[in-house]
Amino acid sequence: MVGEFKKVMEEEVEVCRRRNDVTSTQLTLLMHGTDRVFLVDHPRFHLARYRHQFIAEAHLDSRAMHDYREKKKQYPTATFTLRSESKEDLKYLTTDANGRNTFKASIQVRVPNAPVDINNIIKDVNVAITNVVKDRSLKGRFRDAEYPVGHMPFYLYGDHAEAHIDHILVRSPNIHLSASNVKLELDKQIPESVFVKGALVSALGIEEAAMQPFQPTTEGSHNNSFSGDSGFFFRTGEKFDIKVFEDCKDVNATGPGLAEMDDAKLLAEGTMTLGEDIYVDSYWLNRDPYERVDGDEKFKQWNKVFEGIELELK
């Protein structure tokens, strides 16, 4: 029985190591914008290397940028993702975010409700991250105790011509909501400097606390199973009353309290309308790849060990 216990413990240590691995990995980033390109990482609460909200501006080579814009015209509702050709370290790529740390990638086009077309890819893309907008940890100790009440908070970035939003994740479980090219109608113009570092948006009337937790989206990469739900609030054409606040916290600021706006400077009020480019995920964000459930082989092994201990103690 000692041998069995040791074996199971060694396997659990390996699981812990994998869960907390922060070494280089193949990057898969959402793409926003056509005039300027912004990249958004796919956050995941249960894997350390993805346990953050990461938004950055990037530069693509001219040939790739031309092809990307043409594809965006052809597939306005598609999800565009940038995938690195080899394993990369985001920390290294953003240490000197002035275009010198480049990497090779491909751009994948995923059309809603259609099979993945492996030929619908832009290859040999040269990428350089030029400005990090947000890189905020989602570790447990930095999360809020409660969900936002009376509104839903978003990060706002881009510029006046093309504005994008990403839902601020304050606790787990949660839902990743991201939208490109939202239409802003505001009573005041937002300073360009605020766009550069990212602002805070309060979408009024959305009772996030009452809506959480959301049901999981369909298993599968970049699959928005809410897209056909006419009652789901985050969909094309939906308009929200909003307030825009300055985010005075650092790029790498940690919570809790990242979405608090009570003491933040109010910049503008008005409405925000969602366009065609929308991303929704509550599956991968919350999925624990090492979760033990009744019926799993590992679960059975632990039961066997504990039953053996119980017998010896009798």
Side-chain angles (χ1 to χ4, degrees):
M1 193 202 66
V2 173
E4 184 69 22
F5 182 80
K6 181 180 179 182
K7 177 185 175 183
V8 174
M9 282 300 298
E10 287 174 347
E11 291 175 353
E12 286 301 311
V13 169
E14 177 62 17
V15 166
C16 185
R17 187 193 67 79
R18 292 180 183 179
R19 190 193 298 277
N20 293 285
D21 183 12
V22 292
T23 56
S24 301
T25 188
Q26 196 165 23
L27 304 176
T28 304
L29 306 160
L30 281 175
M31 299 181 70
H32 284 168
T34 51
D35 294 337
R36 297 162 62 186
V37 174
F38 290 83
L39 305 176
V40 180
D41 201 4
H42 295 276
R44 297 184 68 174
F45 285 117
H46 298 286
L47 293 174
R49 63 162 61 98
Y50 304 111
R51 202 178 290 138
H52 66 168
Q53 279 196 268
F54 177 86
I55 304 166
E57 185 173 1
H59 176 269
L60 312 184
D61 66 84
S62 57
R63 189 270 312 170
M65 195 67 182
H66 173 269
D67 292 348
Y68 166 63
R69 285 170 175 163
E70 290 302 308
K71 291 283 187 183
K72 287 286 285 185
K73 292 177 185 176
Q74 186 178 358
Y75 303 104
T77 62
T79 297
F80 285 73
T81 56
L82 186 103
R83 185 172 177 83
S84 65
E85 291 185 0
S86 57
K87 293 182 177 181
E88 301 289 349
D89 184 353
L90 266 179
K91 186 175 292 186
Y92 167 74
L93 293 173
T94 57
T95 304
D96 188 14
N98 59 9
R100 284 188 287 187
N101 295 336
T102 62
F103 63 98
K104 283 277 190 181
S106 61
I107 297 174
Q108 300 179 341
V109 185
R110 297 177 181 271
V111 181
N113 304 315
V116 176
D117 183 356
I118 60 173
N119 296 314
N120 204 0
I121 294 175
I122 303 171
K123 299 180 179 179
D124 299 319
V125 181
N126 293 304
V127 188
I129 292 176
T130 57
N131 176 55
V132 179
V133 180
K134 304 294 178 193
D135 188 5
R136 295 185 168 172
S137 175
L138 296 176
K139 291 180 180 178
R141 66 179 179 274
F142 299 137
R143 299 175 201 164
D144 290 5
E146 304 293 338
Y147 292 106
V149 175
H151 76 131
M152 180 172 277
F154 292 88
Y155 291 124
L156 173 68
Y157 50 97
D159 54 33
H160 296 104
E162 293 184 337
H164 322 291
I165 59 170
D166 201 58
H167 177 218
I168 303 177
L169 307 173
V170 300
R171 60 167 302 173
S172 171
N174 220 303
I175 188 168
H176 186 194
L177 304 168
S178 205
S180 180
N181 293 335
V182 299
K183 181 182 178 182
L184 299 177
E185 296 177 286
L186 305 173
D187 61 349
K188 298 175 185 176
Q189 183 164 300
I190 302 171
E192 186 64 32
S193 59
V194 172
F195 270 114
V196 170
K197 64 178 298 185
L200 302 175
V201 166
S202 171
L204 306 173
I206 304 177
E207 282 287 352
E208 177 168 351
M211 302 169 85
Q212 294 277 12
F214 289 85
Q215 67 182 52
T217 45
T218 305
E219 180 177 355
S221 183
H222 316 303
N223 192 337
N224 176 9
S225 57
F226 289 110
S227 60
D229 184 355
S230 60
F232 188 60
F233 73 98
F234 201 78
R235 64 186 189 275
T236 299
E238 195 71 11
K239 179 183 282 191
F240 308 101
D241 292 326
I242 64 168
K243 290 184 178 181
V244 182
F245 296 87
E246 185 174 5
D247 187 357
C248 293
K249 300 182 178 68
D250 292 338
V251 170
N252 304 105
T254 55
L258 291 176
E260 290 181 3
M261 305 177 198
D262 291 343
D263 297 324
K265 180 181 178 182
L266 177 64
L267 300 173
E269 298 181 63
T271 62
M272 174 179 72
T273 305
L274 302 183
E276 295 180 295
D277 189 351
I278 292 173
Y279 177 83
V280 178
D281 166 60
S282 58
Y283 176 78
W284 293 108
L285 172 63
N286 301 303
R287 180 176 180 267
D288 182 354
Y290 305 108
E291 182 181 12
R292 305 298 183 217
V293 295
D294 196 0
D296 281 356
E297 190 59 36
K298 186 63 63 181
F299 187 90
K300 293 175 183 177
Q301 289 180 20
W302 272 114
N303 273 350
K304 182 178 178 182
V305 170
F306 289 132
E307 287 169 0
I309 294 174
E310 184 180 8
L311 288 172
E312 290 196 5
L313 291 176
K314 285 182 178 180

